[in-house]
Amino acid sequence: MSVQIGNIDLGEFPLLLAPMEDVSDPPFRYVCKQHGADMMYTEFISSEGLIRDAAKSLKKLDIFEYERPIGIQIFGSDIEHMREASEISTKANPDLIDINYGCPVKNVACRGAGASLLQDIDKMVAMTKAVVEGTHLPVTVKTRLGWDDNTKNVEEVAMRLQDVGIKALTIHGRTRSQMYKGQADWSLISKIKKNPLIQIPIFGNGDIDSPEKAAAWRLEYGVDGMMIGRAAIGYPWIFREIKHYFATGEHLEKPTFAERIEACRTHLVKSIEWKGPKTGVFEMRRHYSNYFKGIENFKEYRAKLVTAGTFDELDDILNELERNPRFASPAPVMEV
């Protein structure tokens, strides 16, 4: 049975790419879509930035046809500004609007946005209602279990946000106080999914980093789909590997060294196309160590990649890597 968000058909058990600040931009989304991500989101976008026409915020509204279905994720602390941000985001023509009630970092959560709203459910409900009223598109939400271990209130959140019109809920299995530490707890996510009063899709997020874990947790927790974040950084193959394991119970072969180079080069080209030659090259530097993580004797080339200043230089390094007999056979690779 297909999972539906409004009129969006996501198939039987969708794998979603998590919105990640400074990571899930259009170039990164391109390679993840190539390797099986069923739905993706922009980096989270400040409602204040959108209202002020801030260039950085407006740039994050860029979406492309090949990315669909895609959601624009917004965050903020002012209810009316969030309504306005949903109206602005709708004009960029995404498939849905997502609200971030999960970001735990200080400069978001301590300014009344992101996971901070878990401390004020009434305000969260009012804000969500305003966003729903500000767009004709489906509205979804991403949040956490609660602010801390003493306030795991996501059950109340799920019920009340469903009542004001959200069409799906993604739950990260940690509290805000946990940040990204410790193990994600999916038991409460499962409890919400199994509540007969909950009629919207429930997606689980947190610690999905292998096909076996995805398959086991799909069975154990009964969620409608999974959102994958950090495990996809430098390893977009995680989506296809999980899907293959679901379908066959067998592991797909790990990407060859040549496939890693191909994905890295594609990401680089898309980065330059979207950001321009200077910024595109500079901001790609954070990705090289992830694409080649686990490759033996790679330190020398990693240093070359992060210091090269032009596409031509980088292309020469990647071509040299392709010809290097040390890496010619399928390389030893990490277990993601």
Side-chain angles (χ1 to χ4, degrees):
M1 188 173 177
S2 286
V3 175
Q4 297 277 142
I5 299 178
N7 292 324
I8 306 167
D9 185 341
L10 293 176
E12 184 181 349
F13 191 87
L15 301 179
L16 318 181
L17 173 66
M20 294 177 282
E21 177 69 353
D22 293 328
V23 176
S24 52
D25 57 14
F28 178 74
R29 298 197 303 260
Y30 183 89
V31 293
C32 288
K33 188 71 174 182
Q34 278 191 315
H35 293 94
D38 293 304
M39 188 165 76
M40 306 184 292
Y41 301 81
T42 63
E43 300 170 78
F44 70 172
I45 307 175
S46 163
S47 58
E48 305 300 322
L50 290 177
I51 291 167
R52 294 196 313 268
D53 290 336
K56 184 177 179 182
S57 295
L58 292 175
K59 182 71 171 170
K60 289 181 180 179
L61 291 175
D62 286 356
I63 56 178
F64 300 90
E65 284 302 311
Y66 62 75
E67 299 185 283
R68 296 192 185 280
I70 186 166
I72 288 175
Q73 190 186 73
I74 57 176
F75 75 99
S77 60
D78 183 278
I79 292 172
E80 186 53 37
H81 289 180
M82 284 289 281
R83 183 202 304 271
E84 292 178 45
S86 74
E87 294 171 353
I88 294 167
S89 299
T90 299
K91 292 175 183 175
N93 197 29
D95 297 287
L96 60 84
I97 304 294
D98 188 76
I99 309 173
N100 182 308
Y101 293 138
C103 182
V105 299
K106 281 186 177 180
N107 66 356
V108 174
C110 293
R111 294 181 181 177
S116 174
L117 275 300
L118 286 162
Q119 299 177 103
D120 189 345
I121 306 303
D122 289 344
K123 182 177 179 181
M124 181 193 283
V125 171
M127 182 178 287
T128 305
K129 187 172 186 289
V131 171
V132 169
E133 291 172 351
T135 182
H136 67 277
L137 296 169
V139 173
T140 62
V141 162
K142 182 165 190 263
T143 190
R144 287 181 169 236
L145 300 179
W147 181 256
D148 56 31
D149 283 343
N150 298 317
T151 56
K152 290 184 178 179
N153 50 12
V154 72
E155 288 182 90
E156 179 187 353
V157 167
M159 291 295 300
R160 294 184 65 182
L161 296 192
Q162 177 180 257
D163 288 346
V164 294
I166 70 166
K167 301 302 182 186
L169 178 65
T170 299
I171 305 168
H172 181 97
R174 291 182 175 86
T175 62
R176 186 271 167 178
S177 63
Q178 282 182 272
M179 301 294 285
Y180 295 99
K181 297 174 183 174
Q183 187 172 354
D185 177 9
W186 282 51
S187 59
L188 192 51
I189 303 174
S190 180
K191 185 178 178 183
I192 292 165
K193 172 57 197 169
K194 292 172 182 175
N195 183 336
L197 297 177
I198 296 293
Q199 300 296 310
I200 59 175
I202 301 295
F203 302 123
N205 173 231
D207 294 351
I208 295 296
D209 56 11
S210 71
E212 299 99 322
K213 189 182 288 185
W217 288 11
R218 176 184 182 180
L219 189 64
E220 182 175 357
Y221 298 116
V223 292
D224 294 294
M226 293 174 172
M227 180 178 281
I228 297 168
R230 288 173 291 169
I233 299 175
Y235 203 83
W237 302 276
I238 185 73
F239 297 100
R240 75 177 190 187
E241 288 181 5
I242 290 173
K243 288 182 172 182
H244 184 81
Y245 194 82
F246 283 170
T248 67
E250 297 176 354
H251 286 283
L252 197 62
E253 286 189 16
K254 294 291 181 181
T256 63
F257 189 72
E259 287 179 297
R260 286 171 176 264
I261 292 174
E262 180 185 7
C264 182
R265 182 184 277 115
T266 298
H267 193 161
L268 172 63
V269 169
K270 290 295 180 183
S271 183
I272 291 170
E273 285 178 1
W274 187 59
K275 302 174 184 179
K278 185 175 180 181
T279 304
V281 165
F282 178 76
E283 293 192 355
M284 187 65 191
R285 288 176 179 174
R286 66 172 70 109
H287 293 285
Y288 296 124
S289 62
N290 292 309
Y291 274 114
F292 299 105
K293 186 176 181 180
I295 304 298
E296 294 179 357
N297 305 313
F298 198 76
K299 189 174 180 181
E300 168 197 348
Y301 281 101
R302 187 177 295 115
K304 288 182 179 181
L305 288 166
V306 298
T307 54
T310 67
F311 171 76
D312 286 343
E313 289 177 61
L314 287 161
D315 195 43
D316 285 344
I317 295 166
L318 293 174
N319 286 332
E320 183 183 336
L321 279 168
E322 286 179 316
R323 294 190 300 267
N324 191 323
R326 191 198 317 166
F327 306 114
S329 59
V333 295
M334 64 172 178
E335 292 293 327
V336 297

